[in-house]
């Protein structure tokens, strides 16, 4: 996997060998990693507007993880 973006203590965005965008989000304590594949809409938003969408996605992924 190739690292594309990183925000220390929050998330890292990777592109894998199948060209999928994988967001690895740290939990609120920074201990566990949550792996999330961006949807086609999220991928389009990232490719169109850059990294400004990533904090929003990481927050949502983190929140949804604790709701389950």
């Amino acid at each position: 996997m190739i690292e594309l973006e990183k925000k220390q203590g929050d998330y890292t965005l990777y592109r894998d060998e199948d060209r999928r965008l994988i967001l690895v989000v740290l939990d609120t304590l920074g201990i566990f990693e949550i792996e999330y594949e961006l949807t086609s809409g999220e991928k389009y938003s990232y490719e169109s507007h850059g990294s400004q969408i990533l904090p929003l996605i990481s927050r949502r992924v983190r929140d949804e993880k604790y709701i389950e």
Side-chain angles (χ1 to χ4, degrees):
M1 286 200 289
I2 299 170
E3 184 178 301
L4 301 176
E5 305 271 348
K6 184 173 188 170
K7 183 174 180 188
Q8 192 68 28
D10 192 1
Y11 62 82
T12 306
L13 180 68
Y14 297 97
R15 182 179 308 274
D16 71 5
E17 55 279 351
D18 295 325
R19 304 209 33 87
R20 297 179 300 169
L21 292 177
I22 307 295
L23 189 65
V24 176
V25 179
L26 292 176
D27 70 348
T28 54
L29 299 176
I31 298 172
F32 298 103
E33 294 181 343
I34 306 161
E35 191 172 300
Y36 174 78
E37 182 180 346
L38 270 64
T39 66
S40 59
E42 292 164 341
K43 184 177 177 180
Y44 174 79
S45 293
Y46 171 72
E47 291 170 347
S48 298
H49 305 291
S51 62
Q52 65 189 15
I53 190 172
L54 297 177
L56 301 172
I57 298 171
S58 70
R59 186 177 316 122
R60 191 195 57 190
V61 168
R62 197 175 293 113
D63 291 347
E64 287 177 0
K65 174 67 178 168
Y66 289 107
I67 290 173
E68 295 177 350

